Amino acid sequence: MTALVMLIFVVLLCLSVPVGIAVAVGSMLPSLLSSTVTVSGVYVLRAMVGGVNQTTLLAIPLFVLSGLIMTRGGVSKRLFDVFSYFIGNRTAGIPCAVVVTCLFFGAISGSAPATVAAVGSMTIPIMLEMGYDKKFSVSLVAVAGGLGVIIPPSIPFILYGQASGASVSSLFIAGVIPGLMIAAVLIGYSIFYCKRHGEDKAAIAKVVDELHAEGFRSVLSRSFWALLTPVIILGCIYTGVTSPTEAACIAVLYSLIISLFVYRTLKIRDLWGIMVEATRTYAPILFLLASSVAFSRILTLMQVPQNVSAWIANGFSNKIVVLLLINLVLLVVGMVLDTSPAIMILTPILLPIAESFGLDAVHFGIIMVVNLAIGFVTPPIGVNLFVASSLSDVPVMSIARKAVPMILLFFVVLLLVTFIPAISMCLV
């Protein structure tokens, strides 16, 4: 019966049924297909309601809201200006500034697509004005946007913490070094690319010189409050002053203050539209969370995680082989399924397997999220690709082909994180 349930679930996905609905249907199927499964519809509904009745989950809509406020408030432009001021005249200085801006904005929004939209809408036109290849510019933003789910605060880390019981604060801390490593390899590739293909130094100098003409004090003064944002949010979490949920509340309040009263880039009348957009963004996630919790409990009652774990343990005794197999599964799933449902569905199945081979739940969470971050830039469901394409009118497959070297470097970091636990665990 388990195979039939999973088959129907896959068929629903192939028919483009929304993932949340497909998961909810999968939760109800066992009781409908077999009288031996004593799970009523009432139980499923209670599981759905109970699954989202968690204080930790409040961090998700709050980080979504703060990210939207800062996007509309022009925070990404101010971040980019200060990084361009310092490194813009160096080889690949502007592409490196794009990567660092994605790194910082990821520490504000917690979302990869939001990072691509916010940073890409501002930096792609500037890079084209400076003479950079259009496909390279767009693909760089698309891949660097994946840092938004690895650098804390990260919405997928919150979801994984909910599904696994792991500490969200520990996951945030563990994601710092892997995120910095991915940023470093993207910067290294940008330098290699620009040395090989050259740059229009005159066009670059024109833009950077305008920033230098303003003076360091002017550029820093208008970027100071934007730079302070991740320091406040992450500092509160890492020092133990606040929980991730409380830090999300601070993020919303801080973003409102600097956008309304410091930069004055938002008006009070703009807030209603931002609230509507945040609700539209979070509502599908909320329904997906509820149905995924019920689905995972049904799978547990049907002993699916135990059976899969036993199959892998009996078929593969080598830890390296098992880890490679898990990575392969996550990479394939990341290509066809969005991050949120992938985490909520696969965590109850794969985590027991990983723990049986001695992996810590926090370490496995980093492996899972880095894997799924690669899925953001791999067809056919690479969300970052579609966002970047909508910003630039470059076809999705063209962006994906240009991004292949960067994706391979991303994969190298994934292997290092997988087989060297100290990379992610040394700060925890």
Side-chain angles (χ1 to χ4, degrees):
M1 184 181 64
T2 301
L4 180 59
V5 171
M6 298 307 296
L7 177 62
I8 295 174
F9 175 68
V10 172
V11 170
L12 290 174
L13 292 180
C14 293
L15 293 174
S16 298
V17 174
V19 178
I21 295 176
V23 173
V25 171
S27 303
M28 301 293 293
L29 280 176
S31 60
L32 299 175
L33 296 175
S34 175
S35 58
T36 60
V37 180
T38 58
V39 176
S40 65
V42 174
Y43 172 84
V44 173
L45 291 175
R46 285 179 177 173
M48 292 176 70
V49 174
V52 295
N53 188 23
Q54 305 287 336
T55 303
T56 305
L57 294 180
L58 287 174
I60 298 176
L62 291 172
F63 277 128
V64 168
L65 179 58
S66 66
L68 287 172
I69 293 171
M70 292 191 184
T71 299
R72 299 283 185 87
V75 171
S76 57
K77 176 67 168 66
R78 287 167 170 79
L79 291 173
F80 181 72
D81 283 349
V82 73
F83 300 136
S84 297
Y85 180 92
F86 286 108
I87 61 177
N89 281 328
R90 298 180 179 274
T91 300
I94 297 301
C96 292
V98 170
V99 174
V100 178
T101 303
C102 287
L103 187 73
F104 269 69
F105 198 85
I108 295 172
S109 69
S111 167
T115 301
V116 175
V119 178
S121 60
M122 178 269 302
T123 60
I124 291 174
I126 293 176
M127 291 184 72
L128 296 181
E129 180 185 341
M130 294 180 178
Y132 288 99
D133 178 72
K134 188 173 186 179
K135 292 180 181 178
F136 167 73
S137 304
V138 176
S139 62
L140 178 65
V141 173
V143 177
L147 294 168
V149 297
I150 301 171
I151 288 293
S154 161
I155 292 173
F157 281 154
I158 298 172
L159 295 176
Y160 175 80
Q162 169 69 14
S164 66
S167 166
V168 175
S169 296
S170 296
L171 289 164
F172 281 0
I173 296 172
V176 172
I177 293 180
L180 293 176
M181 288 178 63
I182 293 168
V185 298
L186 292 178
I187 288 172
Y189 175 76
S190 299
I191 295 172
F192 167 79
Y193 181 91
C194 291
K195 283 186 175 181
R196 182 177 181 182
H197 296 276
E199 298 176 278
D200 188 341
K201 294 294 186 181
I204 295 170
K206 179 181 177 182
V207 175
V208 176
D209 287 347
E210 289 179 2
L211 292 173
H212 287 170
E214 290 185 36
F216 171 72
R217 180 174 297 181
S218 174
V219 173
L220 183 62
S221 64
R222 61 187 172 88
S223 305
F224 175 76
W225 298 104
L227 290 168
L228 201 60
T229 306
V231 176
I232 292 174
I233 297 172
L234 301 183
C236 288
I237 296 172
Y238 293 162
T239 57
V241 174
T242 67
S243 68
T245 304
E246 292 164 341
C249 295
I250 294 173
V252 173
L253 180 61
Y254 181 79
S255 63
L256 282 172
I257 291 173
I258 65 170
S259 297
L260 289 173
F261 305 115
V262 179
Y263 293 141
R264 297 182 180 179
T265 47
L266 285 182
K267 306 294 183 183
I268 295 294
R269 63 175 177 270
D270 298 328
L271 297 182
W272 175 253
I274 293 174
M275 295 287 287
V276 171
E277 186 176 351
T279 303
R280 287 176 176 169
T281 302
Y282 179 62
I285 298 177
L286 182 66
F287 182 76
L288 176 62
L289 284 171
S291 56
S292 297
V293 169
F295 192 49
S296 65
R297 291 184 183 179
I298 298 299
L299 291 178
T300 302
L301 289 174
M302 296 170 64
Q303 296 189 321
V304 172
Q306 296 90 327
N307 293 335
V308 173
S309 179
W311 175 76
I312 291 180
N314 293 332
F316 307 93
S317 57
N318 189 298
K319 180 179 178 180
I320 295 176
V321 174
V322 171
L323 288 175
L324 289 174
L325 180 62
I326 289 175
N327 277 316
L328 179 62
V329 169
L330 289 171
L331 286 171
V332 172
V333 168
M335 292 180 184
V336 297
L337 202 62
D338 196 17
T339 304
S340 300
I343 290 174
M344 299 304 294
I345 294 169
L346 292 180
T347 298
I349 298 174
L350 297 180
L351 181 58
I353 300 171
E355 289 181 327
S356 68
F357 282 88
L359 264 70
D360 183 85
V362 173
H363 179 212
F364 182 71
I366 303 301
I367 295 172
M368 175 173 272
V369 172
V370 173
N371 264 293
L372 297 175
I374 296 176
F376 277 112
V377 285
T378 50
I381 314 292
V383 180
N384 284 13
L385 297 177
F386 286 94
V387 174
S389 178
S390 68
L391 294 174
S392 61
D393 293 326
V394 178
V396 168
M397 291 308 299
S398 297
I399 302 173
R401 282 193 291 269
K402 195 70 173 181
V404 167
M406 291 177 274
I407 295 172
L408 292 176
L409 291 172
F410 218 125
F411 184 70
V412 170
V413 175
L414 168 63
L415 292 178
L416 292 174
V417 169
T418 299
F419 294 107
I420 308 176
I423 291 175
S424 50
M425 300 299 292
C426 63
L427 297 180
V428 178

